[in-house]
Amino acid sequence: MGFQLYDWMQEYMAAAEKTFADRVWFLGLQGSYARGEATKDSDIDVVLILDKLLEADLRVYRDMLAALPYREKVCGFVSGREELEHWAKPDLFQFCFDTMPLKGSLEEIAETVTKEDIREAIHTGACNIYHGACHNLLHERQKEITAELYKAAVFVLQAKDYLKSGRYARKRAELFAKLSGEDREILCTAMEMKGKPAKMEVDLDTITWRLADWASHMICAAPVF
């Protein structure tokens, strides 16, 4: 029958609640499975927030995951509640909006994120993409690295669109319909590269520099978003 997300998540949630009981403050799902865009190679990005995270909890959690099927697909985020509440606000924007809640809510945390935090997230993201693209052009020259940078660009585009529209476009197809010009071209390439960068017949230098050039525009324009 193969992997079934709903069945697996039910098993995961039952295991987490049995393992940590009322210490579980939040459970969620991120990434392509949360967006309904997963492929057979996608990871299961689960989120576990405990009342307080101790060293022993990580060992217990590791053992819990090892007992679940499809352990090789599981990754994600684990934290204590207090750490998350004091997390860097620009990072929390994407974290909160891209997480599907399964138990608990991130609304109180999301409400602490300001427009200035989102602008900072856009600017920092663009800086990292610019540096990564230039570095890849000079040194590694790998399609997989360029594909990851395009994936990061999608998050920047989501944040930029949210500032403009006030509505978060979680799915790529929804975001695509809202964009135009260079932004749409970047998203289109990101969607084409998803899951198959090594098989794409592309000019690596061209698509990598296109991304660096786009990021450059974002870096210089970020203060006026």
Side-chain angles (χ1 to χ4, degrees):
M1 185 175 180
F3 177 73
Q4 298 293 321
L5 177 64
Y6 178 81
D7 294 339
W8 190 91
M9 288 304 305
Q10 292 298 310
E11 191 169 352
Y12 167 79
M13 292 175 63
E17 293 183 337
K18 179 180 179 181
T19 301
F20 297 108
D22 57 0
R23 295 186 57 211
V24 176
W25 182 70
F26 180 85
L27 286 173
L29 180 67
Q30 293 179 329
S32 56
Y33 276 108
R35 295 190 300 269
E37 300 172 343
T39 68
K40 63 181 179 62
D41 298 319
S42 295
D43 293 328
I44 312 169
D45 298 294
V46 290
V47 176
L48 170 67
I49 311 297
L50 298 177
D51 57 349
K52 183 176 179 63
L53 182 66
L54 306 173
E55 179 185 358
D57 294 327
L58 292 174
R59 292 194 294 270
V60 171
Y61 189 44
R62 183 176 61 202
D63 292 342
M64 186 203 95
L65 293 176
L68 293 175
Y70 299 99
R71 172 63 182 95
E72 71 281 0
K73 290 174 66 68
V74 184
C75 62
F77 183 87
V78 60
S79 171
R81 175 178 177 175
E82 186 174 3
E83 286 81 4
L84 189 65
E85 290 174 338
H86 290 83
W87 207 268
K89 293 296 189 293
D91 289 345
L92 284 179
F93 166 74
Q94 205 77 48
F95 181 87
C96 291
F97 278 94
D98 200 47
T99 303
M100 176 189 296
L102 301 171
K103 177 179 180 178
S105 172
L106 297 175
E107 288 186 8
E108 288 186 9
I109 291 177
E111 288 172 356
T112 67
V113 179
T114 67
K115 288 187 175 181
E116 187 57 40
D117 295 324
I118 301 173
R119 292 188 184 95
E120 184 176 342
I122 294 170
H123 190 256
T124 300
C127 289
N128 291 337
I129 291 167
Y130 181 85
H131 167 68
C134 291
H135 194 277
N136 193 34
L137 275 172
L138 285 173
H139 305 295
E140 295 90 350
R141 304 200 71 249
Q142 296 180 15
K143 289 182 183 178
E144 291 77 9
I145 292 176
T146 295
E148 285 300 311
L149 292 170
Y150 269 94
K151 180 179 178 181
V154 175
F155 295 131
V156 172
L157 287 169
Q158 286 172 314
K160 180 183 176 183
D161 176 70
Y162 180 83
L163 275 184
K164 179 181 178 181
S165 68
R167 186 171 181 271
Y168 187 77
R170 175 177 289 179
K171 293 188 176 183
R172 274 43 172 174
E174 179 186 358
L175 181 63
F176 184 82
K178 300 174 70 176
L179 301 181
S180 61
E182 190 178 23
D183 287 348
R184 178 176 278 197
E185 290 178 7
I186 293 296
L187 178 59
C188 184
T189 302
M191 294 168 73
E192 290 174 352
M193 297 194 79
K194 179 178 171 60
K196 55 178 181 180
K199 298 180 181 179
M200 288 188 65
E201 294 297 328
V202 295
D203 183 332
L204 181 63
D205 286 1
T206 297
I207 64 169
T208 305
W209 174 250
R210 182 187 304 154
L211 187 61
D213 191 46
W214 169 82
S216 171
H217 299 160
M218 297 286 287
I219 291 167
C220 298
V224 299
F225 290 154

